[in-house]
Amino acid sequence: MDPRSEVILRQQNYLKGRVLLINAPNDALVSQLPTEIDASVWTWNYADYQGFVNAGTPAHFSVEFPSQEFDQAIIFVPKSKELLNYILHVVMSHLKIDQSVFLVGEKKGGVERAAKQLQSFGKILKLDSARHCQLWHLKIEKTEKIKPLESWLKTYTVQVNEQELTICALPGVFSQTHLDAGTAVLLPYLNQVKSGRIADFGCGAGIISCYLAKANSSNIIHALDIDAFALQSTEMTFSRNGIGSDQLRLQPVTGIADAPTELDAIVSNPPFHQGIHTNYDASEGLCQNAKKHLKASGELWIVANRFLNYPILIEKHFGQCEIKTDLQGFKVLYACA
């Protein structure tokens, strides 16, 4: 069990009524809570959401707060400070004065910093410090009026092969305020990508998807991501750049296995973080299984850190892997099915 969940169980006597677990890990916590606790989960991680659904736990996959009413909320601290600001805002917009909010997180994950953010809404008390985690309690003294989701957007412009794109990114989305180095290395090669049905695996704020859609109005882009905030950001990026929704297929995925088949190309700056931890499962799975999702002569384009062994993995499954460039610590890799 996740150590944060263990800390919650240690202090379960503080819980009562309808409790919303926000950004909770996919573990056995809910099943071990007292039966009188009516627990449900709000998550934006599709893999976690699937796990909760399969376990019979009421779960909500969205960027927005569930429509039900709750007596308490437990926030599992996210990696992003901006995302926590958003979560605190929506929680304080939906809960009432004197209701309880709990904040739990790993010390190395910034829980003490997060507790200071919580302080804006009333007096806070540290309930527990164990398993390298802390649990804080707030009795709400100040609520907020909900702001539209659009007000949380960060935007910036990117110049790609004579195209200027406006990128929209919500809190917590990878590279929310600027173009990341890996995608910058990949972008000049996007005009070589085969046209047709193209998947952007780990679409983030939609930079790659948006360019490919604008490059050819007949391209259909399957924007795939595990994160609801990324999918929503990509949709907003398309809208901001005047690209019709008929070119975009948004799809939450747990990995490449969930992707469509018979694709003309898969393009990716693959993810390698899960929360505060590094996790290469999704990107390695992409290298190993992408070919199953491509048409004959379909293309795989990946940008990845130079030190990763992706060329070997791709060559093993495709029979070949071409290194298009090796620049600023990143390689652009190409393979044809």
Side-chain angles (χ1 to χ4, degrees):
M1 180 179 286
D2 189 289
R4 297 169 298 171
S5 297
E6 292 178 353
V7 173
I8 296 295
L9 288 176
R10 281 164 54 101
Q11 304 298 334
Q12 61 185 268
N13 290 340
Y14 284 94
L15 305 181
K16 62 180 181 180
R18 298 161 297 181
V19 181
L20 179 64
L21 281 63
I22 302 172
N23 191 38
N26 177 23
D27 60 15
L29 171 60
V30 173
S31 66
Q32 294 190 26
L33 289 172
T35 53
E36 61 267 24
I37 301 298
D38 181 9
S40 57
V41 175
W42 170 27
T43 183
W44 39 94
N45 180 298
Y46 191 65
D48 288 345
Y49 170 73
Q50 294 284 68
F52 291 122
V53 169
N54 292 339
T57 300
H60 178 66
F61 174 75
S62 177
V63 300
E64 297 185 293
F65 198 87
S67 57
Q68 307 97 294
E69 290 193 354
F70 297 93
D71 301 303
Q72 298 179 333
I74 304 173
I75 301 170
F76 290 75
V77 177
K79 179 181 178 182
S80 162
K81 180 180 178 180
E82 292 75 20
L83 181 53
L84 179 58
N85 279 333
Y86 170 75
I87 295 163
L88 288 173
H89 168 73
V90 295
V91 168
M92 302 309 163
S93 305
H94 287 83
L95 267 60
K96 301 178 180 69
I97 298 291
D98 290 337
Q99 288 188 319
S100 288
V101 175
F102 302 90
L103 188 77
V104 64
E106 296 179 62
K107 291 176 185 175
K108 66 180 179 182
V111 66
E112 290 180 332
R113 175 262 302 160
K116 291 177 182 175
Q117 291 173 254
L118 190 65
Q119 222 165 1
S120 306
F121 303 97
K123 292 178 183 176
I124 60 172
L125 175 68
K126 188 194 292 183
L127 297 181
D128 204 346
S129 183
R131 312 287 197 273
H132 304 290
C133 300
Q134 292 179 359
L135 175 65
W136 293 80
H137 172 256
L138 164 76
K139 188 176 182 181
I140 299 174
E141 297 174 9
K142 174 191 167 190
T143 57
E144 296 210 331
K145 184 178 179 182
I146 192 74
K147 295 192 294 188
L149 187 63
E150 288 74 16
S151 67
W152 295 90
L153 272 181
K154 295 281 178 64
T155 62
Y156 56 94
T157 58
V158 174
Q159 191 78 27
V160 193
N161 300 332
E162 300 178 1
Q163 280 195 36
E164 185 173 273
L165 309 176
T166 300
I167 308 305
C168 301
L170 289 166
V173 173
F174 176 65
S175 211
Q176 190 198 5
T177 59
H178 61 279
L179 179 65
D180 67 281
T183 302
V185 172
L186 174 63
L187 288 179
Y189 293 87
L190 292 184
N191 58 7
Q192 299 178 32
V193 174
K194 192 173 186 178
S195 297
R197 293 177 67 236
I198 306 170
D200 177 5
F201 181 74
C203 61
I207 299 170
I208 294 170
S209 291
C210 185
Y211 173 82
L212 292 169
K214 287 201 84 168
N216 185 337
S217 60
S218 65
N219 281 344
I220 301 297
I221 310 301
H222 296 265
L224 315 177
D225 209 288
I226 196 170
D227 186 274
F229 284 91
L231 294 168
Q232 185 70 50
S233 297
T234 294
E235 185 172 28
M236 290 171 158
T237 294
F238 267 59
S239 177
R240 184 67 64 94
N241 288 277
I243 305 169
S245 58
D246 56 318
Q247 280 191 266
L248 179 62
R249 307 286 187 272
L250 292 166
Q251 184 182 340
V253 295
T254 59
I256 191 62
D258 296 336
T261 55
E262 293 295 303
L263 294 165
D264 293 289
I266 298 172
V267 185
S268 184
N269 179 1
F272 56 90
H273 282 100
Q274 192 164 11
I276 63 170
H277 304 287
T278 301
N279 187 320
Y280 295 106
D281 291 352
S283 48
E284 289 179 357
L286 172 64
C287 296
Q288 293 163 348
N289 297 298
K291 190 175 180 181
K292 300 173 187 175
H293 297 267
L294 292 167
K295 292 178 179 176
S297 301
E299 299 176 347
L300 174 66
W301 292 82
I302 290 181
V303 62
N305 292 73
R306 177 183 292 152
F307 67 85
L308 296 171
N309 68 344
Y310 294 170
I312 296 169
L313 273 178
I314 293 170
E315 190 168 340
K316 181 179 177 182
H317 293 275
F318 279 79
Q320 87 291 335
C321 177
E322 181 182 345
I323 298 172
K324 291 285 187 178
T325 191
D326 186 338
L327 187 66
Q328 297 175 351
F330 292 91
K331 291 179 178 178
V332 173
L333 309 175
Y334 167 83
C336 184

